[in-house]
Amino acid sequence: MRQLIEQQILPRVTKPIRYQGNEFNSVHKDWGKAQVRMAFAFPDLYEVGMSHLGLQILYGLVNDREDLLLERVFAPWTDMEDLLRRHNLPLFSLESYRPLRDFDILGFTLQYEMSFTNILNMLDLAGIPLRAAERSDSFPLVVGGGPCAYNPEPLADFFDFFVIGDAEEVLLEIMDTAKAFKQGPSGRIAKGDFLAEISRVRGIYVPKFYEVSYNASGGIEKIEPVNPRVPAKVVKRVVKDLNTAYFPTKPIVPFADTVHDRVMLEVLRGCTRTCRFCQAGMIYRPVRERDQETLLKQAKELVRNTGHEEISLTSLSTADYSCVQPLITSLMEEFKNEMVGISLPSLRVDAFSVDLAKEIQKVRKTGLTFAPEAGTQRLRDVINKGVTEENLMEAVAGAFAAGWTTIKLYFMIGLPTETKEDVAGIAELAYKVLKKGKEILKEQKSKKSLKVTVSVSSFVPKSHTPFQWVAQDPVVMLQEKQQYLKSLLKDRHITYNYHDARLSFLEAVFAKGDRKLGQVLETAWAKGCKFDSWSEYFKYETWLEAFRECGIDPEFYAYRRPGFEETFPWEHLHTGVSKKYLFEEYQKALQAELTKDCRLDRCPGCGVCGDLNVKLLLQRRGKGGAL
Amino acid sequence: MGRYRIEFGKESGARFLSHLELMKAFERALRRAGLPMAFSEGFNPRPKMSFASAVAVGVTSAREYLDLELREELEADQVLEKLRNTLPPGLSVVSCRKIPPKVPALMAEIEAAEYEARLKLTDKLTKAEIDDAIAKLLERDSIVVVKEGKKGPENKELKEGIYELRCTAVEEGWAHLLMRVKSGSRGNIRPEEVLKALQELALLSFEPELAVIHRTGLFVNRKGQLVSPMQ
């Protein structure tokens, strides 16, 4: 099959390098010697998938074990798909060019809702029946993990099971269990027995063992396990200490230019800032920091093993890392001769972050992005952003003074309680930033041109957040707000970007969706929906047709304001954060009342530490950190 | 400071690397090898590394060249040895030699390139018939093909740039060709353009998408002789 693809297919597609699979540090194992074989599937393009740290972690973790094998597969671009279909070739893994059907386990990472149709498309391309109930033991087990696994209900029909939470430990448990249930001359896994066994493991959710009943108004009556042996609530997995957790120091080095083409050094996991819209901030709790020595050692190995010219210090909020300043200083010192740059993917809006940016731009200068999220102080308090206009002005002043001339600002529209004033506030803030820049450039007698980019996305209410009770703004309202902002941002130094509100609407539907949406997904896919988050393939009308055909109203999911008592489709999946706490945060939001970071202030009682028997793991030794 | 010229091959999977990807692959291999690269100044420091010529995506090559500067002076063998262990599959170093600081840039020196091409014929043709078609093409006063230029389609004259073109064999429906063409900054003929002329002007019928092209050499002009840049 490899020969056929390399000679007849690859020369005809754009970027054949996407399908090569022989990158430096890729692992090519003896198929026959591996006892459990898994394919890690990323339901988007190679360039997107290879920028995902989770893939590298699990790839290294599994392939370090002699008896196990993990290979990769990405969504093929449409030209590749057409050729595969025309030649009747099944979707294959990159390393061994084996059909996906031949694997024991097929694992999809669920990074965003609008990649769900790509999952169905990949299964179909692989010749694997879409619905779990239609797959006999001769097909692979299909598992999903990642952030969207916290509400996987729209996918429940298509998956055998889901992993809720960190996968570093549980994936090996899954593969060991699979090994034990491989049987007979065919060597396939006895799925029924396997699922019965694995459903009792913490962090594993087997949807067919849970029955959902609906009430008259279309909401959920209850979700119950079908037998007493499975837990009523599936509790997420947490790796307690990142210092002892597996971390790959020989990641695959892609040839192709990927979205994040650099070493990813994960400095911490979790975030306790409590932005009320942010799902990641809730599901990745508690904060667990890696110690500096571990990070320095990993950074050295990573650069030696990859040759990358840049190290990205990744996390939800790297400026919050207790030892961020000493860490950056040590890394800069370590790599100054090799011209390895350091980058911070997400900056907090304050002067401290700008100081960090100044420090790292000695090697390579990158753009600066800040996320005030909302245009007025009142609305920033509603979302608990914990950022003031003063913070922002201080930060941008520092940035302009240090020589940056392009600044990007991220905002959201459609946040709860938003008024016209709040929307106008986005434009006002942009103009203030521009004015500040002009003043500073004038002082410096600089002739450089300024550019402020205002990037505005539409708020999507997500499960497991205080805003899960919020109704999304209707598409037309979001579009009006987008146009209103456009009319206000008429300066040639300001660039204004915004996303398709219709895509955000569908995202909300699936983010808060239930099992009934499975048929909509299947219908939309059958009508040709795929690569929905790629604007050239997004077919909104087709999606609406699919909803109509299935007799399902998408507005029910996105526009309704549920009550506190309402049972959510994800009620049986537990992040450790209590529903009561989320609702309290929602109430506080409506009053524009702030909640402080629990690292700085008292514990607001989210419940994670007690419920999951974990604790914040902070490196207090560093000086100059944000704390 | 040391300056080195390296001969390398780009085969199998690596044939799908674009020129930019190739440069990046080398930079990373050099860093993995722990070689003390010299860097350019400025906001975005790049390793001081220059390639002889870009080879098209999909084309394999037995002999490519790059010049490299290091912050320290090492033996050429040491550079070769270190790189050998860190190059990704499909890229391989053949030889390395030290070059004096004043040697002109590789790119400016390249004069010609040699290719082998394998064509999947759509008609049953003998070697004699192909020889005949080639002879007719080369006899023309002008060999013009249309190529995609920056401002739309442009006519390109190939006549003076084709130094040699012949059929070496026909096997199982595949024609094997050898061509030597002008290459470098003073005029560049791409093998695909010669194949296009064969198809359009000599009416040789084959599947252009499945053409397998392999670069066998790049040459510089030394006193009227085309020789390897390593000489």
Side-chain angles (χ1 to χ4, degrees), chain A residues 79-90:
Chain A
D79 57 350
M80 181 65 165
E81 176 181 343
D82 290 345
L83 284 165
L84 289 176
R85 290 196 191 275
R86 205 181 313 152
H87 286 80
N88 228 341
L89 289 166

Side-chain angles (χ1 to χ4, degrees), chain A residues 496-522:
Chain A
Y496 169 51
N497 303 321
Y498 55 95
H499 301 132
D500 192 331
R502 301 169 308 170
L503 191 69
S504 306
F505 166 60
L506 290 182
E507 196 183 324
V509 174
F510 285 98
K512 292 177 71 181
D514 57 28
R515 287 189 185 186
K516 287 185 269 183
L517 294 185
Q519 50 171 322
V520 179
L521 268 180
E522 202 172 343

Side-chain angles (χ1 to χ4, degrees), chain A residues 12 261 306-307 309 338, chain B residues 13 24 28 31-32 71 209:
Chain A
R12 298 173 195 250
D261 196 11
T306 64
E309 55 284 344
E338 303 310 311
Chain B
K24 204 154 61 179
R28 290 176 180 170
R31 193 175 277 110
R32 289 193 291 262
R71 297 194 303 274
E209 280 181 321

Side-chain angles (χ1 to χ4, degrees), chain A residues 6-7 11-12 16-17 20 22 24 254-257 261 304-309 337-340 363-364, chain B residues 13-17 21 24-25 27-28 31-32 35 39 43-45 57 71 86-89 207 209-210:
Chain A
E6 282 187 344
Q7 288 177 358
R12 298 173 195 250
I17 202 86
Q20 270 289 320
N22 65 345
F24 197 78
F255 288 119
D257 215 348
D261 196 11
R304 194 192 321 128
N305 292 336
T306 64
H308 274 298
E309 55 284 344
N337 288 334
E338 303 310 311
M339 290 291 163
V340 176
V363 177
R364 275 182 199 87
Chain B
R15 78 179 187 279
F16 294 119
L17 291 179
E21 288 160 355
K24 204 154 61 179
E27 175 180 345
R28 290 176 180 170
R31 193 175 277 110
R32 289 193 291 262
L35 285 166
F39 288 89
F43 270 153
N44 208 358
V57 173
R71 297 194 303 274
T86 60
L87 278 172
E207 290 185 41
E209 280 181 321
L210 298 185

Side-chain angles (χ1 to χ4, degrees), chain A residues 604-619:
Chain A
C606 80
V608 159
C609 297
D611 233 34
L612 303 185
N613 188 24
V614 289
K615 56 176 190 276
L616 300 183
L617 197 65
L618 305 176
Q619 309 298 320

Side-chain angles (χ1 to χ4, degrees), chain A residues 208-437:
Chain A
K208 74 165 181 183
F209 293 155
Y210 296 80
E211 208 168 57
V212 183
S213 51
Y214 300 90
N215 57 35
S217 55
I220 287 174
E221 180 66 37
K222 55 180 194 256
I223 305 164
E224 277 183 329
V226 294
N227 74 52
R229 283 160 56 99
V230 296
K233 262 188 196 262
V234 177
V235 180
K236 82 167 178 197
R237 285 296 281 255
V238 186
V239 170
K240 288 189 179 176
D241 182 355
L242 289 190
N243 293 309
T244 51
Y246 176 81
F247 194 79
T249 51
K250 282 182 87 175
I252 303 164
V253 186
F255 288 119
D257 215 348
T258 54
V259 178
H260 300 295
D261 196 11
R262 53 187 83 114
V263 158
M264 287 173 277
L265 188 66
E266 188 191 26
V267 294
L268 72 138
R269 206 173 285 181
C271 177
T272 41
R273 295 245 158 213
T274 317
C275 296
R276 290 169 180 140
F277 57 85
C278 180
Q279 191 191 46
M282 297 296 160
I283 63 180
Y284 290 111
R285 286 179 180 206
V287 166
R288 288 145 290 158
E289 297 189 335
R290 275 203 169 90
D291 68 45
Q292 238 195 116
E293 293 75 50
T294 309
L295 290 170
L296 266 173
K297 184 167 162 280
Q298 288 174 345
K300 278 189 236 177
E301 283 176 38
L302 281 161
V303 170
R304 194 192 321 128
N305 292 336
T306 64
H308 274 298
E309 55 284 344
E310 189 176 322
I311 302 171
S312 169
L313 305 181
T314 66
S315 74
L316 292 171
S317 178
T318 300
D320 281 336
Y321 177 55
S322 308
C323 312
V324 66
Q325 203 139 53
L327 175 69
I328 287 175
T329 309
S330 323
L331 289 172
M332 295 288 294
E333 178 61 29
E334 176 70 35
F335 297 115
K336 63 177 186 224
N337 288 334
E338 303 310 311
M339 290 291 163
V340 176
I342 314 292
S343 69
L344 296 165
S346 54
L347 278 182
R348 237 188 23 230
V349 184
D350 57 22
F352 173 71
S353 300
V354 173
D355 287 341
L356 295 180
K358 268 193 253 178
E359 179 106 14
I360 62 176
Q361 53 112 18
K362 286 171 193 158
V363 177
R364 275 182 199 87
K365 196 158 197 158
T366 51
L368 274 191
T369 302
F370 297 105
E373 313 284 4
T376 59
Q377 194 56 48
R378 187 198 64 82
L379 197 53
R380 283 193 295 274
D381 290 347
V382 167
I383 62 176
N384 202 45
K385 187 64 197 174
V387 159
T388 63
E389 188 172 315
E390 246 184 313
N391 293 147
L392 177 67
M393 295 320 287
E394 225 176 75
V396 296
F400 287 127
W404 270 278
T405 49
T406 58
I407 300 251
K408 198 168 177 182
L409 302 173
Y410 267 125
F411 294 97
M412 261 188 277
I413 51 166
L415 286 164
T417 76
E418 184 182 57
T419 63
K420 202 170 176 182
E421 263 167 36
D422 296 311
V423 180
I426 294 175
E428 281 162 32
L429 214 47
Y431 279 108
K432 276 183 194 159
V433 168
L434 186 62
K435 186 163 163 260
K436 185 55 123 187

Side-chain angles (χ1 to χ4, degrees), chain A residues 1-2 4-20 45 73-94 97 121 125 530-531 537, chain B residues 16:
Chain A
M1 189 153 111
R2 181 186 283 270
L4 179 66
I5 289 164
E6 282 187 344
Q7 288 177 358
Q8 307 248 7
I9 310 280
L10 294 188
R12 298 173 195 250
V13 301
T14 51
K15 302 211 180 168
I17 202 86
R18 285 172 180 157
Y19 313 101
Q20 270 289 320
L45 268 192
V73 60
F74 300 90
W77 194 237
T78 49
D79 57 350
M80 181 65 165
E81 176 181 343
D82 290 345
L83 284 165
L84 289 176
R85 290 196 191 275
R86 205 181 313 152
H87 286 80
N88 228 341
L89 289 166
L91 188 60
F92 56 90
S93 66
L94 293 193
Y97 272 50
N121 201 43
L125 262 171
K530 61 189 167 196
F531 284 113
Y537 286 102
Chain B
F16 294 119

